[in-house]
């Protein structure tokens, strides 16, 4: 069956659909020996020989979906120019090349999905999918009256309003804890939101992504998603993007 080239490439896990489009435009994708630079081009993944940067695509790569409980002190990129430990170093026996779905900063801990399914990763990261992610956050002090309400309604970050957030108190101490649920994942979003109301985030832990929780997953450990969980994740983004 004929499908769009970028979709075929992303489905094998070598890269995301957006990156595949870049590669096509740059003339790095060929079908049966001929370079294809048109974005709407189609091919048959069962019959055609599709090469990306000179390498033949194979459909047999197995898909891997991992849920990691990242400890603080790890970067969620594949390599770090500063030489800090990466989340990949926590995946010992996993042979497949998996990519983190979004980021969790070095000083933050908690749930991170990793996969070689570029298509699903892309959908999950897209703003339109609005996947809820829940964080437990320890603040330096108590926000001033009205501060949390502002964050709940939305503030402007980088010239764009944030989507409404759910925020509720967890522990009312000198340094209080809050539970925060966002449906978008912008750069350092939680830390920057609280900074805006004069509060430094001392600890930040992601405890839930969609329906996936950290239950039974101690920091530094990961598990494979079940087939049912993968299916449910796919269904939660279907039709939204
Ligand atoms: N928001 C942040 O500020 N940092 C994270 O790691 C995730 C969300």
């Amino acid at each position: 069956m004929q499908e769009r080239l970028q979709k075929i490439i992303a489905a094998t896990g070598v890269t995301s659909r957006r990156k595949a489009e870049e590669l096509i435009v740059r003339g790095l994708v060929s079908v049966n020996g001929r370079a294809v630079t048109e974005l709407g081009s189609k091919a048959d993944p069962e019959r055609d020989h599709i090469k990306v940067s000179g390498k033949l695509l194979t459909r047999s790569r197995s898909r891997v979906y991992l849920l990691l409980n990242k400890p603080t002190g790890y970067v969620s990129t594949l390599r770090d120019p500063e030489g800090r430990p990466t989340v990949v170093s926590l995946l010992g026996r996993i042979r497949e090349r998996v990519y983190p779905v979004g980021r969790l900063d070095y000083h933050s801990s908690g749930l991170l999905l990793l996969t070689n399914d570029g298509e699903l990763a892309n959908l999950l990261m897209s703003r339109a999918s609005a996947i809820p992610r829940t964080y437990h956050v320890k603040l330096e002090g108590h926000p001033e009256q009205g501060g949390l309400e502002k964050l709940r309604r939305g503030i402007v970050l980088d010239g764009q309003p944030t989507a409404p957030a759910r925020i509720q108190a967890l522990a009312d101490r000198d340094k209080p804890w809050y539970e925060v649920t966002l449906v978008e994942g912008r750069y350092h979003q939680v830390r920057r939101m609280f900074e805006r109301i004069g509060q430094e985030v001392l600890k930040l832990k992601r405890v839930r992504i969609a329906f996936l929780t950290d239950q039974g997953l101690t920091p530094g450990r990961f598990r494979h998603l079940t087939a049912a969980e993968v299916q449910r994740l796919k269904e939660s983004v279907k039709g939204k993007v």
Side-chain angles (χ1 to χ4, degrees):
M1 197 181 73
Q2 295 269 321
E3 285 178 275
R4 281 179 183 251
L5 260 182
Q6 57 267 46
K7 185 170 178 202
I8 299 171
I9 296 168
T12 64
V14 291
T15 188
S16 69
R17 196 187 280 207
R18 209 166 302 147
K19 286 264 163 57
E21 289 175 355
E22 277 174 37
L23 296 173
I24 293 170
V25 172
R26 287 170 54 203
L28 294 170
V29 175
S30 68
V31 177
N32 302 327
R34 293 178 63 177
V36 172
T37 53
E38 280 283 317
L39 271 188
S41 305
K42 292 184 171 179
D44 183 338
E46 304 299 333
R47 294 163 177 237
D48 292 322
H49 278 80
I50 303 166
K51 284 187 174 176
V52 177
S53 303
K55 276 200 198 134
L56 191 64
L57 276 195
T58 53
R59 303 265 287 176
S60 57
R61 289 163 60 109
S62 55
R63 299 279 175 82
V64 179
Y65 304 88
L66 307 175
L67 184 66
L68 168 73
N69 189 346
K70 180 184 111 54
T72 57
Y74 286 80
V75 291
S76 52
T77 46
L78 298 184
R79 239 171 275 113
D80 183 48
E82 294 176 39
R84 294 172 297 180
T86 71
V87 287
V88 176
S89 66
L90 297 167
L91 306 180
R93 61 196 159 76
I94 299 295
R95 294 252 178 108
E96 290 84 358
R97 195 172 163 78
V98 288
Y99 303 87
V101 179
R103 299 272 164 86
L104 199 51
D105 27 89
Y106 181 73
H107 294 293
S108 300
S109 62
L111 297 179
L112 186 66
L113 280 169
L114 297 109
T115 183
N116 55 0
D117 181 342
E119 183 83 342
L120 182 61
N122 226 12
L123 293 172
L124 289 171
M125 284 190 284
S126 114
R127 197 171 289 177
S129 70
I131 295 294
R133 295 161 175 95
T134 300
Y135 301 87
H136 285 176
V137 177
K138 183 184 187 183
L139 300 183
E140 198 194 359
H142 289 266
E144 284 187 0
Q145 184 117 39
L148 294 180
E149 208 35 55
K150 253 191 221 165
L151 301 186
R152 288 188 183 110
R153 279 197 306 266
I155 56 166
V156 175
L157 279 184
D158 307 320
Q160 288 226 34
T162 58
R166 214 169 56 223
I167 305 179
Q168 60 190 68
L170 281 180
D172 189 15
R173 309 203 180 109
D174 285 352
K175 297 187 189 305
W177 281 87
Y178 287 90
E179 182 172 282
V180 178
T181 302
L182 304 181
V183 290
E184 54 188 353
R186 287 151 69 173
Y187 177 72
H188 287 184
Q189 183 164 348
V190 177
R191 292 178 193 274
R192 291 199 295 154
M193 283 169 60
F194 281 99
E195 236 167 58
R196 192 60 74 75
I197 59 162
Q199 285 300 326
E200 188 187 343
V201 169
L202 300 179
K203 287 190 180 163
L204 193 157
K205 192 163 121 187
R206 184 149 66 201
V207 296
R208 183 186 273 261
I209 301 172
F211 54 87
L212 298 165
T213 71
D214 59 1
Q215 205 183 12
L217 208 56
T218 52
R221 304 298 295 268
F222 70 91
R223 68 172 179 86
H224 288 264
L225 296 190
T226 64
E229 286 171 331
V230 173
Q231 189 57 30
R232 210 173 145 191
L233 268 187
K234 288 182 177 172
E235 271 158 21
S236 61
V237 290
K238 211 160 74 182
K240 289 191 187 166
V241 183

